[in-house]
Amino acid sequence: MMHPSVSALWQHYRQLHPDAPPGLPPVEHFCDNQAEADQCAQLVVQGIKQATSSALVAYRIAQEALPQAGHLVIITSWAGEAKAIIRTHTVTLCRFGDVSARFAWLEGEGDRSLASWRAAHRAFWTRTLAGTGQVVDDDLQVVCEMFDTVLIAPPA
């Protein structure tokens, strides 16, 4: 069941942007656990987290299309409470080993260093891609998505 804050935030966005499509955009949380999902949502609200990354193979496994510029997403806490709406402005593909320090900084997690980004994402993709046969190494193709936060949910 969807948290009522999701539709409330979307309706507020549509009031501000009457040209927005009527259908609800994707509703997602970051990460694969509550602590990190809630922390990342808060980083978006604070304007620190301005990027996210995914393994390209995860899109193929899920048979989902890649994000595109203009793509809107409602970001939630782990519990599904709406926290913000983001709009993708840049999507690039690169090797895990070629992700830049600038991109790691924009993701806003940990100490924002490239070393921290690599360690956290290697661990994450090792967990989430377990059993797929995908090796998490410097050649793993990464979808690097940069976004703007276009609306923050009011405090509950």
Side-chain angles (χ1 to χ4, degrees):
M1 181 171 190
M2 188 179 316
H3 195 281
S5 62
V6 171
S7 58
L9 184 60
W10 182 242
Q11 290 309 312
H12 183 73
Y13 180 84
R14 290 197 64 229
Q15 288 173 353
L16 297 171
H17 305 277
D19 58 330
L24 201 63
V27 178
E28 301 174 0
H29 60 74
F30 294 107
C31 304
D32 65 340
N33 64 77
Q34 182 174 355
E36 291 176 355
D38 291 350
Q39 178 185 33
C40 284
Q42 187 59 34
L43 291 171
V44 169
V45 168
Q46 293 171 333
I48 296 169
K49 183 169 182 61
Q50 302 169 26
T52 191
S53 54
S54 306
L56 177 60
V57 68
Y59 285 96
R60 291 186 179 146
I61 291 168
Q63 298 180 345
E64 293 179 2
L66 294 179
Q68 298 178 6
H71 180 102
L72 293 170
V73 176
I74 298 175
I75 299 299
T76 70
S77 66
W78 182 260
E81 183 180 353
K83 296 297 181 180
I85 298 177
I86 62 172
R87 179 184 296 117
T88 299
H89 61 77
T90 307
V91 179
T92 58
L93 295 176
C94 70
R95 294 172 56 251
F96 179 85
D98 294 335
V99 169
S100 70
R102 178 181 178 274
F103 185 83
W105 178 263
L106 290 173
E107 268 217 51
E109 300 168 31
D111 67 7
R112 300 180 83 174
S113 71
L114 182 56
S116 172
W117 183 93
R118 285 190 175 144
H121 286 79
R122 185 179 305 275
F124 173 75
W125 288 322
T126 297
R127 283 192 315 271
T128 60
L129 295 174
T132 66
Q134 178 64 52
V135 176
V136 180
D137 61 12
D138 281 352
D139 290 327
L140 178 72
Q141 289 294 300
V142 177
V143 179
C144 297
E145 182 178 353
M146 293 182 277
F147 57 81
D148 294 315
T149 302
V150 295
L151 187 62
I152 296 171

